[in-house]
Each structure stands twice: as structure tokens, then as C-alpha cells.
Amino acid sequence: MYHKFQISGEVIKASGLKTKILITVFVFSCLLILSVMLLSFSNNFNNQLLDPSINDEFETSGDKLIGGLLTADFDEGSCLSRYHKTFWYRKPSPYKPSEYLVPKLRSYEKLHKRCGPGTKAYKKATKNLSHDNKNYANESVGECRYVVWIADYGLGNRMLTLASVFLYALLTDRIILIDNRKDLGDLLCEPFPGTSWLLPLDFPLMKYTYRYNKEYSRCYGTMSEKRAINSTSIPPHLYLHILHDSRDSDKMFFCQKDQDLINKVPWLIVRANVYFVPSLWFNPTFQTELTKLFPQKETVFHHLARYLFHPTNQVWSIVTRYYHAHLSKAEERLGIQIRVFRDQGGYYQNVMDQIVSCTQREKLLPELPTQEEAKVNISNIPKRKAVLVTSLSPEYSKKLKNMFSERSNLTGEIIKVYQPSGERYQQTDSKIHDQKALAEMYLLSLTDNIVTSARSTFGYVAYSLGGLKPWLLYMPNDRTVPDPPCVRSTSMEPCFLTPPSHGCEAEWGTDSGKIVPYVRHCEDIYGLKVYDEL
């Protein structure tokens, strides 16, 4: 009996072990099937986010490439901002790239791939630089000619000048290469597929950058004044000085008679801190091409910036985290960019008063009620408005935050004020500072309305990138508030702060703002700006 029981127990134990194994296999199989289902669901969900045709919010599958402005030849993961920013965070732009601009960009990309760093053409072109032959007039430079952009001044200036130099390259069939000694590679992704726009560090002319000024012997303005350049005396490279202290002889480089000489020079070196695009419209040849590229004339920087400037994944993570945390749930977003051009920056009460006056006058922010008005019961469902303030000084946002947290307003709106950073002073060439600055430019560009300081290149980039026509705060001449405090711009183009005094064919004393009807003076300073013709 005992033996029978013992055998039965062993059978039961064996049977129990089999059952456990079967249960384990079953559970594992269920988990595996569930995992596959979840992975499939996740992929479908992500595909829905990435595929504009699935979501009603997205117009067409072309939105991802901005109507063909962007090429699909990049790996999405390497630069998330390139394709995602268009349809995740920003309303579709009403400004579409022209049918002429799109193939022009594709042709440029092919040319850059043939002539860019590491190619035989590039090696041959740089080798020729070592020969001090002063006459290139009778030599063929081939299809590869270059314009080298030197990084100078703050991030706003750099982005404006990069777009200007790229447009010049596009108009003259040159290859743009950019100074790689600063932190630009940590800020922006490569814009051209299968090649690089970063100038190799061993480029022979970069060791002379300290000499690139108006006195440099190969400065075009200086050479033209001394008549040291002509059709029989063409140097292997020229330096173009397009800074705030440029002479008119420097600024006339874009004119047709000057271009006839400059076109023969294989290498151009450019230092610039101003957006010189408006002056390119003075050249009749450029003007014809520009009109085909940009039939909506005020869209030049808007399209070029969306094509060229894609924040790196590190910068883009700053943008997306902040946007989701503070701006995504608001029904309306207002950007306020403040730059104080004084030796001692900081907080000024008249600037604060000007911001409040402008935003309330233009109905961008609600007025605060009197005691009697405060007793009125507002029954409307309150609208949530997020106010994004960017400034080196944190006091402005704190004042605005206190205004709307302590008292109700006449419209009953819920006003939330945010400021990503307030670093007190500009830290040009600091990697972390510049990454924050770029992130803030993009955050401002994602707002619905924007108020910016006069003359601020930071503000110019933000509103033009976002396709926004800004309210520009007038420059205060003293410690009082200008009347009116601000003006709504009719163009989203940046301003050329220090333009030439006249056009290519105009006489001295001719107002450069009256050469062509669509290049007129800016609202915020006596510079030049491109407007659509009235």
C-alpha cells in the first residue's frame, strides 16, 4: 500500500510539474503576443503622428517636407526637428515655397555634394589657393566656386547673415561653407544631404581671420577704391566686409558691374553681422531671379530659415519639453521678446510700462479692471493664454506674472506668464547659452502673436521663422514711454540695419529706400526691409 501511494505521489508530482511547465509556457506565450500587439499599436500610433494624411490636423502628406522645401533624404532620428517641427507644434504656414525655389534647392544640393569638403573638386580648389597667382582672368575655375562665412557676433546676427550668404550663393552658383571653429555644429543639423557645410579646420585661409577687416589687402571695398582689381587682375580670393561699419564701397559688392569681377574669383571670404538681403534686390539680374524664387517677397528669410536651420536633438529636446510643460495647453500663445540696448542692461520701468501699454493697446493682453469693474461677474468660460517672455532680465516676466496673478482682468482670461531663462548678460560663444538662445527663438516662433524689441536680430529671427508679422516696440529715446509704444509691421522680413545709402545705379544722396517700391525703410530703424508690393 505504501509503495502504491509513493508511486501515485510521484505521478502527481510529475503531473504537477508538467502543469507548471504548461502554465509557464502559456503565460509566456500570452505575454509575447501581448508585447507584439502593444508594439504594433505603438508603431501604428507613431505612424499616425508622423503621417499627415491620417490626422485631420495635417493638410497633406507634403506638410512634412513643407511643400517640397525640404528633401526626404535624411534619417529622421539624426535630427528630429527637421521634419517634426512643421506639423507637431506650428500651425501650417500660409506661405508656400514657389515651384521655382524647390528645384533650385535640389540643384544646389547636388552641386554642394559634387564640390563640398572631401571631394576632388574641393581639394583642387584649395590647392590653387597656395599659389599666389594674381591673375585668374584667363583661367577656368570650373563649376566649383565658394563663399566662406565667418562666424561673428551673436546668434541672431549669425542666423541672419548665414541666410543672406546662402541666398547669395544660390544666386551666383557658389558653394557655402561655414566657419567650424565656433559652436554652430552643436546648435544646428547639417542642411544638405550626403555632404557637409562645415569648413574643414585645415582650410588654409582661416589662419588669417584676424586680418580680415577693411584694411586687408584683398578686401574688395579697399581694392575697388584703389582700383586694384580689374578684368586683367583677378586674385585667387577676395574678402567681403559686410559689417555695421562697412563703407559704401564694401556694400556695393552685389551690383552688376561689381559682380562681373567678383564672379571670376573662386573663393570669397565673408564677415557679416547684418541681414543684407534687401540690397540684393537692387541688382537687376538678381531681382529677376529673386522674383521667381520668392513671388511673395517678404518670405525670403521665412523659407530659407525653415530650409537651413534645424536645431540639433539636444536643443530640440529643450524646445519640446518646455513647449509641452507650459505652452501646449493654452488656447492662445503670445511671445514677448525684450532687448535693452544700453551699456547697463537690466530692468527699466519705462520699458516695462511700454510693454504693458503696447500689449493692452493692441488687445494682446487684457486690461486690469477698476474696483467697480472688478465687481462685475464674468460668466464666460475663461480662455487660457500663455505669455512667453524672453529677456536677459527676469524682472519683466515677474512683473507681468504678478500683475495677472494678483488681480482679475476685464476679459476673464487666465493669463500664465513664463520665461525659460534670464541670464543677465549675453554670453556669445558659450555653448549652453547659445543652445538656450536658439531654443527660445524657436519657442517664440511657435506663438500666435509676437511683440519684439526694435533693432533686435534675436527678435527678427523668431518672428520671421514663425511667419509672424510682429508688433515692434519703438526705441525709447529717454526714460519715457514712446507714444505710440509700438507699431504692427506689414512685413515679416528682417531689417537690414546698416544698408547702402543708394542703389547700384543711383547717384550719391539718393534715398536707398526709394530705389524699388518693395524695398523700403524699416518701421523700427532707418534701415531697409523687403515688403510685398502694395
Side-chain angles (χ1 to χ4, degrees):
M1 178 73 68
Y2 173 77
H3 295 294
K4 289 182 180 179
F5 179 81
Q6 189 178 36
I7 293 171
S8 299
E10 290 175 357
V11 170
I12 291 170
K13 285 181 180 179
S15 175
L17 181 61
K18 289 181 180 179
T19 303
K20 287 181 180 179
I21 292 172
L22 288 172
I23 292 172
T24 302
V25 170
F26 175 75
V27 171
F28 179 78
S29 300
C30 289
L31 288 173
L32 183 61
I33 292 169
L34 183 61
S35 298
V36 171
M37 290 174 64
L38 286 173
L39 181 61
S40 175
F41 173 79
S42 176
N43 287 338
N44 289 336
F45 181 72
N46 287 334
N47 288 336
Q48 288 179 10
L49 285 176
L50 295 174
D51 184 0
S53 64
I54 296 175
N55 194 318
D56 291 339
E57 182 183 349
F58 310 137
E59 293 176 350
T60 65
S61 59
D63 285 348
K64 179 178 173 180
L65 302 180
I66 320 180
L69 190 70
L70 303 180
T71 175
D73 294 341
F74 282 98
D75 171 59
E76 293 190 23
S78 65
C79 186
L80 295 173
S81 68
R82 189 188 315 276
Y83 303 120
H84 296 185
K85 67 177 181 291
T86 307
F87 52 83
W88 272 12
Y89 304 107
R90 183 178 291 133
K91 294 177 181 177
S93 172
Y95 307 99
K96 306 303 179 186
S98 70
E99 294 181 358
Y100 190 77
L101 175 61
V102 171
K104 185 79 172 179
L105 292 173
R106 298 295 86 82
S107 296
Y108 174 84
E109 290 163 1
K110 292 177 182 177
L111 181 63
H112 197 109
K113 200 169 184 179
R114 291 196 299 270
C115 301
T119 63
K120 291 182 179 178
Y122 173 82
K123 292 174 183 176
K124 180 180 177 181
T126 51
K127 185 178 180 181
N128 288 340
L129 277 174
S130 61
H131 303 294
D132 197 22
N133 187 344
K134 296 182 179 180
N135 184 11
Y136 270 68
N138 298 319
E139 295 186 19
S140 172
V141 298
E143 70 168 345
C144 298
R145 294 173 304 133
Y146 302 84
V147 55
V148 175
W149 172 88
I150 297 178
D152 246 333
Y153 293 84
L155 186 59
N157 299 80
R158 294 181 186 185
M159 295 177 74
L160 292 177
T161 59
L162 252 179
S164 302
V165 174
F166 175 70
L167 179 58
Y168 176 73
L170 209 61
L171 292 170
T172 57
D173 296 320
R174 288 183 179 270
I175 299 301
I176 183 174
L177 296 174
I178 69 171
D179 185 356
N180 191 22
R181 297 170 303 162
K182 307 293 183 180
D183 60 3
L184 216 64
D186 297 315
L187 301 176
L188 298 171
C189 303
E190 292 275 6
F192 313 128
T195 184
S196 177
W197 68 341
L198 298 177
L199 184 72
L201 295 174
D202 61 355
F203 180 65
L205 295 182
M206 292 313 284
K207 58 186 176 183
Y208 303 121
T209 52
Y210 66 94
R211 297 189 337 202
Y212 292 145
N213 52 49
K214 289 181 288 187
E215 286 69 45
Y216 181 55
S217 61
R218 297 269 172 84
C219 176
Y220 178 71
T222 301
M223 294 185 77
S224 62
E225 285 184 355
K226 295 180 177 180
R227 302 186 184 280
I229 181 172
N230 53 57
S231 58
T232 60
S233 180
I234 303 294
H237 77 274
L238 279 176
Y239 163 62
L240 302 180
H241 187 83
I242 317 176
L243 297 169
H244 56 279
D245 63 345
S246 296
R247 305 154 294 187
D248 266 338
S249 58
D250 297 304
K251 297 172 187 175
M252 293 294 116
F253 80 94
F254 56 85
C255 296
Q256 190 59 59
K257 62 180 180 62
D258 300 82
Q259 283 297 306
D260 289 342
L261 292 174
I262 293 174
N263 279 340
K264 297 176 181 178
V265 180
W267 288 93
L268 301 179
I269 314 295
V270 179
R271 281 185 67 205
N273 66 349
V274 287
Y275 181 71
F276 59 83
V277 166
S279 64
L280 298 177
W281 291 86
F282 293 156
N283 182 323
T285 303
F286 289 170
Q287 186 183 123
T288 301
E289 187 75 357
L290 286 166
T291 302
K292 290 190 290 185
L293 290 169
F294 306 100
Q296 292 174 292
K297 295 178 175 63
E298 65 170 317
T299 63
V300 176
F301 187 81
H302 179 60
H303 288 321
L304 293 184
R306 292 187 303 159
Y307 172 73
L308 286 175
F309 304 137
H310 310 290
T312 59
N313 287 351
Q314 188 174 0
V315 176
W316 192 239
S317 68
I318 300 173
V319 175
T320 54
R321 286 200 307 269
Y322 199 89
Y323 183 88
H324 285 300
H326 303 297
L327 306 179
S328 61
K329 294 180 176 60
E331 280 102 358
E332 187 178 328
R333 287 164 283 275
L334 171 66
I336 302 178
Q337 180 266 336
I338 305 164
R339 176 65 192 273
V340 177
F341 291 95
R342 294 179 183 173
D343 293 337
Q344 297 178 346
Y347 177 83
Y348 292 87
Q349 187 59 46
N350 65 307
V351 175
M352 183 70 210
D353 294 340
Q354 183 180 4
I355 293 165
V356 173
S357 176
C358 171
T359 53
Q360 292 184 340
R361 175 190 175 116
E362 302 298 332
K363 309 299 183 186
L364 299 170
L365 286 177
E367 295 184 19
L368 299 175
T370 62
Q371 287 185 342
E372 291 300 318
E373 290 170 329
K375 297 176 183 178
V376 178
N377 183 27
I378 301 172
S379 58
N380 295 334
I381 298 175
K383 180 170 69 175
R384 293 168 298 180
K385 178 177 286 189
V387 181
L388 178 73
V389 178
T390 65
S391 173
L392 292 173
S393 303
E395 288 83 1
Y396 296 102
S397 62
K398 288 179 181 177
K399 292 279 186 180
L400 282 172
K401 190 178 295 184
N402 291 338
M403 280 177 58
F404 291 103
S405 63
E406 294 174 358
R407 297 168 62 186
S408 61
N409 58 77
L410 289 177
T411 62
E413 293 173 293
I414 299 174
I415 309 295
K416 295 292 184 180
V417 181
Y418 306 100
Q419 180 170 347
S421 68
E423 305 207 333
R424 297 294 179 182
Y425 62 94
Q426 187 169 334
Q427 303 167 44
T428 300
D429 292 335
S430 164
K431 174 183 172 180
I432 295 177
H433 177 85
D434 284 346
Q435 287 181 329
K436 290 179 182 177
L438 181 60
E440 291 185 7
M441 286 181 189
Y442 267 84
L443 286 167
L444 282 172
S445 78
L446 301 176
T447 58
D448 302 299
N449 293 301
I450 189 169
V451 177
T452 69
S453 296
R455 289 179 51 199
S456 173
T457 55
F458 189 106
Y460 292 166
V461 171
Y463 71 66
S464 191
L465 180 64
L468 303 169
K469 294 184 179 179
W471 281 266
L472 297 166
L473 296 165
Y474 284 113
M475 287 286 293
N477 293 324
D478 49 29
R479 297 300 177 93
T480 60
V481 176
D483 185 20
C486 59
V487 60
R488 180 76 184 275
S489 178
T490 57
S491 170
M492 60 184 183
E493 269 288 278
C495 180
F496 184 176
L497 296 174
T498 55
S501 60
H502 57 85
C504 294
E505 307 302 327
E507 297 179 357
W508 285 94
T510 303
D511 186 345
S512 60
K514 297 180 180 179
I515 303 297
V516 292
Y518 40 83
V519 179
R520 306 194 297 275
H521 291 297
C522 314
E523 299 94 342
D524 53 334
I525 191 175
Y526 198 73
L528 288 184
K529 191 172 185 176
V530 179
Y531 299 80
D532 279 334
E533 295 174 83
L534 298 177

